[in-house]
Amino acid sequence: MNASLLTPPSGATHRRKIVGRGPSSGHGKTSTRGHKGQKARSKVALWFEGGQMPLTRRVPKRGFTSVLKQRNQIVNVRDLNIFQKDDVVVSPELLIKTGLVKKKGKIKILGKGKLNLALEVKAHQFSKEAERKIKEAGGKIEVI
C-alpha cells in the first residue's frame, strides 16, 4: 500500500467558503457579515470583552518573582544512605553523579530521615537537624 494514494472518504472534507468577492458571488455585498458594527470589521482583539473591564485588569497583581534568584537543591539525610560504605566523602560532584542532584548549583542538606553511615558531607548549607544527625552517625560536615 502506498501512503501517497490514501484519500479521505467522500463527504469528509469541504471546500473553504470564499467570501469578499462582490454581490455576484452568492454571499452578498457584505460577505455574510451583516451591516456595519464591530463584528463586520476585519480585526477585533481576541481578548476584547465588549467594553467590560478585561480579565487581565480585574485580577489583582502582587509580588514579584526574580528570574535571577538561585534556589537551593535539596537532599535529605535519608537519601545519603545509598552510599555503600562508611568514610565516603560526599561532595556536590558525587551527588550529581549519583543522581541525587540534577544540576550544578547550591546544595542544602535537610534532616528528614535517618542516616546509617559515617559520611563526610560537603555542601553549601545544612539544616541544624541534618548537622545533628550526620554527627550522631559519626560523620563530619563541611560547608563549602
Side-chain angles (χ1 to χ4, degrees), residues 16-127:
R16 186 175 70 90
K17 182 190 241 185
I18 299 173
V19 295
R21 299 294 180 275
S24 61
S25 66
H27 295 301
K29 82 179 175 66
T30 54
S31 305
T32 71
R33 287 174 173 261
H35 292 283
K36 300 185 180 177
Q38 185 181 32
K39 291 185 176 178
R41 311 290 183 231
S42 62
K43 292 180 184 170
V44 178
L46 291 172
W47 56 88
F48 187 69
E49 297 184 32
Q52 94 178 3
M53 186 62 68
L55 179 68
T56 53
R57 289 182 61 196
R58 288 195 306 258
V59 175
K61 289 152 193 71
R62 277 198 69 218
F64 165 76
T65 304
S66 174
V67 184
L68 304 173
K69 181 179 179 182
Q70 291 195 346
R71 288 166 180 81
N72 291 331
Q73 298 178 74
I74 293 169
V75 178
N76 279 300
V77 168
R78 67 170 176 220
D79 300 332
L80 300 176
N81 285 320
I82 65 165
F83 300 107
Q84 298 299 318
K85 54 186 186 277
D86 287 350
D87 299 324
V88 174
V89 177
V90 180
S91 62
E93 293 79 29
L94 185 62
L95 291 172
I96 291 169
K97 198 167 104 180
T98 56
L100 288 174
V101 171
K102 299 291 181 209
K103 58 187 185 284
K104 284 192 172 184
K106 291 192 174 183
I107 298 169
K108 184 169 186 175
I109 309 293
L110 299 181
K112 197 175 219 177
K114 189 178 178 194
L115 184 63
N116 303 325
L117 303 164
L119 302 172
E120 185 181 331
V121 184
K122 295 180 180 181
H124 299 92
Q125 293 176 320
F126 292 89
S127 69

